[in-house]
Amino acid sequence: MKRVVLAYSGGLDTSVAVRWMIQEWEVEVVCVLVNVGQDADTSESFDDIRARALAAGALECVVVDARDEMAEEFCVSAIAANALYEGKYPLVSALSRPVIVRHLVDQARKFNAQAVAHGCTGKGNDQVRFEVGTHALAPDLEVLAPARNWGMTRADSVEYAMRWDIPIKATKEKIYSIDENLWGRAIECGAMEDPWATPPEEPMTLTRVRSSEPVELTLSFLAGVPVALDGVEMPLATLITSLNLRAGSTGYGRIDMVENRRVGIKSREVYECPAALALIAAHADLEDLVLERDLHHEKARVGIRWAELVYDGMWFSPLKEALDAFIAETQRHVSGDVRLRFEAPGLMRIVGRRSPMALYDYALATYDADDAFEHADSEGFVKIYGLGVKTWAARQGAKNATPPQS
Ligand code: ARG
């Protein structure tokens, strides 16, 4: 009998998928529940979720704690790249999928499975990430997507779960589709499907304003990696969780955007990611202080491409790996501290930065008596720098050289 390893979340779709694959495809199903930090605010324990997988008919449900892996490998790379897809989205879901894929493939090997499966529908990016990621790590494994084949509505799925005694949590129509991990929360559906409608507060957790007191804190980086919060060293997963709470309490970290999915659909997305946005902003600010100009500018371009690749499911790909090598080289001197100030509702300013590796040189920058810059050197420099334009002006001239006459 064919054996399938399913990426299991505990939700209705993946629970129904267990039983449906057993019935329709006559396979054995092993579930893998990967903890990427989604436990932050779910009311259920991983034991409860595991029990549901077994009730649905799974041979086994393996629970993997991948929070440190997610933080230290995936979030660290995203911070180094200052990765914001379309300039705004810190890749919350996109970052967790390759973590999950790696464990799916690992368990598929341990259980001698011939296929892996996921619960994504045909409309999103996550199916792309699961499938392209799996093919990159295990070209021999088949990837199954039952939710793309079964043609059930949500009501049908609820009925199916009841028929098979699968203990699902809420039977009433679920309003929102929420995906969450250490790096933040992605909230879709409901009233938000109208891009003009103000997002409801109801599904928000991390960015509800809980304090009118400003929050000021210091983040410390070592070679591009966040290592301490207010001078206290801690594992990155802990730092992210703590920062989500502190920065989020002032309402900081909410993103409301219309985004281009890989599959050609524009969708309205609302995200809550206080720690991700704060860490990227602080890291980018520290780079302003320590990176040489050409390197800095080139790195910004590379970061845009890196974010697109990761969004598009290309975490495990040759171009992404090569860009990682470039980015890693740029991070050697990105060490120092950044001070951030958060003010309700949702404002953040960086109010200071320092680094032993700073290229900022007071003697060059100052307008005071300490000024060490050779002003006279600029004369020749500017002349030669502008020579091409001067020649062009003399021979060919600028268009619209005269201001509009009133
Ligand atoms: N639009 C985001 C992305 O593609 C979020 C996806 C959220 N996934 C979900 N299954 N609700 O990365």
Side-chain angles (χ1 to χ4, degrees):
M1 200 185 235
K2 188 149 109 181
R3 192 173 277 183
V4 180
V5 173
L6 169 69
Y8 185 69
S9 70
L12 175 66
D13 285 342
T14 51
S15 299
V16 165
V18 175
R19 176 48 64 186
W20 193 87
M21 287 195 290
I22 294 171
Q23 295 306 121
E24 302 295 318
W25 291 340
E26 299 180 346
V27 295
E28 288 178 331
V29 180
V30 171
C31 291
V32 180
L33 176 52
V34 185
N35 179 357
V36 282
Q38 71 273 36
D39 61 341
D41 50 38
T42 47
S43 49
E44 266 188 319
S45 73
F46 283 101
D47 284 343
D48 296 338
I49 300 177
R50 181 171 180 276
R52 182 175 306 132
L54 299 177
L59 205 61
E60 182 49 276
C61 179
V62 181
V63 181
V64 186
D65 184 350
R67 284 172 296 181
D68 287 333
E69 179 184 340
M70 165 102 189
E72 281 155 31
E73 213 175 311
F74 294 75
C75 299
V76 160
S77 298
I79 294 165
N82 300 321
L84 295 172
Y85 177 67
E86 296 187 336
K88 297 176 192 158
Y89 167 47
L91 300 170
V92 175
S93 305
L95 274 191
S96 77
R97 296 317 185 236
V99 184
I100 299 169
V101 162
R102 203 154 70 176
H103 285 285
L104 268 184
V105 170
D106 183 44
Q107 295 299 332
R109 297 310 187 207
K110 288 182 176 143
F111 281 89
N112 279 314
Q114 294 78 43
V116 300
H118 60 75
C120 306
T121 66
K123 289 176 73 168
N125 297 310
D126 290 324
Q127 55 174 345
V128 180
R129 297 166 185 153
F130 275 118
E131 293 177 39
V132 175
T134 303
H135 294 322
L137 297 184
D140 58 302
L141 286 180
E142 197 186 337
V143 188
L144 306 173
R148 260 186 341 221
N149 301 100
W150 64 37
M152 286 193 276
T153 63
R154 187 151 185 101
D156 296 338
S157 300
V158 170
E159 204 214 311
Y160 191 92
M162 304 230 272
R163 179 143 43 95
W164 286 96
D165 279 329
I166 303 168
I168 49 166
K169 222 168 67 174
T171 48
K172 66 169 192 267
E173 192 72 24
K174 189 180 73 161
I175 306 173
Y176 307 107
S177 162
I178 299 177
D179 183 51
E180 64 188 353
N181 59 58
L182 267 185
W183 211 222
R185 305 176 78 236
I187 304 150
E188 298 167 336
C189 303
M192 284 166 289
E193 287 190 343
D194 175 0
W196 176 251
T198 304
E201 277 301 302
E202 187 203 343
M204 309 299 165
T205 60
L206 295 175
T207 59
R208 285 194 187 205
V209 179
R210 304 181 292 282
S211 156
S212 54
E213 280 296 294
V215 171
E216 202 165 302
L217 51 84
T218 303
L219 290 170
S220 305
F221 294 83
L222 193 63
V225 180
V227 290
L229 174 56
D230 284 337
V232 182
E233 285 187 26
M234 59 184 84
L236 185 54
T238 312
L239 189 151
I240 291 169
T241 307
S242 165
L243 192 55
N244 267 332
L245 290 176
R246 286 181 66 188
S249 72
T250 64
Y252 175 73
R254 195 174 298 182
I255 303 160
D256 178 346
M257 68 186 284
V258 174
E259 129 193 338
N260 290 293
R261 290 190 186 165
R262 180 61 278 195
V263 294
I265 298 172
K266 275 196 194 289
S267 66
R268 199 275 186 92
E269 304 276 340
V270 177
Y271 300 107
E272 296 189 286
C273 5
L277 292 186
L279 283 164
I280 290 171
H283 174 266
D285 190 278
L286 187 58
E287 286 188 336
D288 294 345
L289 189 64
V290 300
L291 292 189
E292 181 277 330
R293 181 177 183 263
D294 283 336
L295 179 62
H296 195 355
H297 292 184
E298 195 59 33
K299 181 178 177 289
R301 287 186 274 267
V302 167
I304 292 170
R305 189 75 186 100
W306 191 96
E308 283 168 0
L309 287 167
V310 172
Y311 185 88
D312 289 350
M314 293 290 173
W315 181 274
F316 304 108
S317 70
L319 178 55
K320 150 75 171 50
E321 281 182 13
L323 296 187
D324 274 333
F326 170 85
I327 293 170
E329 171 64 24
T330 66
Q331 295 302 291
R332 288 192 293 143
H333 304 302
V334 186
S335 300
D337 307 316
V338 181
R339 260 185 327 112
L340 303 89
R341 187 179 162 84
F342 301 87
E343 266 166 75
L347 281 177
M348 188 277 280
R349 276 177 306 137
I350 289 173
V351 291
R353 71 288 286 158
R354 66 180 175 194
S355 168
M357 296 298 168
L359 299 182
Y360 177 88
D361 185 332
Y362 173 76
L364 291 178
T366 184
Y367 289 92
D368 291 346
D370 300 333
D371 188 0
F373 184 79
E374 296 285 357
H375 289 249
D377 287 355
S378 284
E379 192 180 331
F381 165 74
V382 178
K383 231 183 229 169
I384 292 175
Y385 174 73
L387 183 58
V389 170
K390 193 175 176 187
T391 309
W392 162 78
R395 303 277 157 83
Q396 300 172 351
K399 269 183 264 169
N400 309 317
T402 329
Q405 307 296 314
S406 55

